[in-house]
Amino acid sequence: IEKPRKARTVRRCASPSHFNVDRQEEAQYGEDYLLRLPSRQRMDTMLRTVANMFYRKPRLTSDANEVVESVNPYGEFRYSTLDALLSPLRKPGALDNWSPKEIALFEAGICSKGKDFYAISQLIGTKSTNDVVDFYYAWKTSGHYQMWKHYGKPQRRMTQEHEQLNQDLKQKMQPFNDSRSNGQSATEEKTDDSPPSATAPAAMDVSETS
């Protein structure tokens, strides 16, 4: 039986997984003017997303100066963050190959063009139609999709040219519709004026002929 291994500690930021902290701790580092910069807020938001996606939550020591490397007392093997990211066994996720700007262009396209995936791919410029379709099905699990679905998907708007063609078609079909309605009315009047049909002769009594 393998003896339990003792948990060892390492210095903080020896691994990128140590960056997986909450906002309160993030605000402790840096000058006050840096915390008020919009670029700092945007960068922290983006990096917080990366940490939540790829880094496991670190376990700190009581003084918060070191990180407990082995949480399991029996020394369960774990890949390092770098090995886990580069492992050929890791299945890439939908967000791995999409930058924030590409995601923003996708959502702008889905709001303006609906599910015209080819048009959205042309709008993004760096993604094929298949890439857009794959990302769409991953995006359907998000709250943004639920909002888009709740407030109504964009309807196809008829262009001025299509409206004119529709009106021309109605005008061309009007004589046919009028003649059809007149013919149907005449048929109904003729049916109402026709004399009642003669009653069928009574069946012959078999007993009289026998």
Side-chain angles (χ1 to χ4, degrees), residues 6-205:
K6 294 182 180 180
R8 68 186 185 94
T9 59
V10 297
R11 63 178 176 84
R12 294 202 67 178
C13 297
S15 170
S17 62
H18 301 173
F19 295 129
N20 192 354
V21 296
D22 54 24
R23 296 186 180 184
Q24 293 181 353
E25 183 172 353
E26 283 181 351
Q28 296 177 6
Y29 306 103
E31 303 295 335
D32 291 338
Y33 78 93
L34 290 175
L35 300 177
R36 294 191 297 267
L37 293 178
S39 58
R40 163 70 184 255
Q41 298 175 8
R42 289 193 295 266
M43 182 60 70
D44 284 348
T45 300
M46 182 62 192
L47 295 180
R48 194 179 305 117
T49 302
V50 173
N52 291 331
M53 289 176 56
F54 299 110
Y55 308 152
R56 64 176 181 266
K57 197 76 174 178
R59 179 186 175 186
L60 304 179
T61 57
S62 58
D63 57 2
N65 291 326
E66 294 181 322
V67 177
V68 179
E69 185 69 12
S70 179
V71 178
N72 192 308
Y74 291 93
E76 179 183 359
F77 176 76
R78 287 183 177 178
Y79 284 104
S80 65
T81 303
L82 182 60
D83 291 338
L85 290 174
L86 298 179
S87 174
L89 301 178
R90 179 181 177 275
K91 183 179 180 181
L95 298 174
D96 284 2
N97 300 321
W98 283 74
S99 67
K101 182 180 178 181
E102 290 172 337
I103 295 176
L105 287 172
F106 167 84
E107 292 192 326
I110 204 75
C111 291
S112 61
K113 302 181 181 301
K115 294 194 294 185
D116 190 346
F117 299 127
Y118 174 76
I120 296 175
S121 68
Q122 296 297 309
L123 179 66
I124 297 173
T126 56
K127 298 297 181 184
S128 65
T129 304
N130 291 335
D131 294 335
V132 175
V133 172
D134 292 340
F135 184 80
Y136 169 76
Y137 284 105
W139 183 74
K140 286 186 69 174
T141 62
S142 67
H144 286 198
Y145 169 79
Q146 299 301 327
M147 290 175 59
W148 179 67
K149 181 180 179 182
H150 175 76
Y151 288 106
K153 300 177 182 179
Q155 302 294 331
R156 291 178 177 267
R157 295 184 178 180
M158 189 176 296
T159 62
Q160 185 176 1
E161 182 180 359
H162 289 166
E163 291 179 356
Q164 185 63 39
L165 291 175
N166 192 22
Q167 292 178 2
D168 294 344
L169 180 61
K170 287 183 178 180
Q171 292 178 359
K172 291 181 180 180
M173 293 296 294
Q174 190 63 36
F176 173 77
N177 294 332
D178 293 341
S179 61
R180 184 178 181 183
S181 60
N182 294 334
Q184 184 177 1
S185 300
T187 304
E188 293 177 354
E189 293 177 358
K190 183 177 181 181
T191 304
D192 295 339
D193 297 338
S194 59
S197 57
T199 57
M204 182 177 295
D205 191 354

Side-chain angles (χ1 to χ4, degrees), residues 203-210:
M204 182 177 295
D205 191 354
V206 181
S207 60
E208 295 180 356
T209 57
S210 57

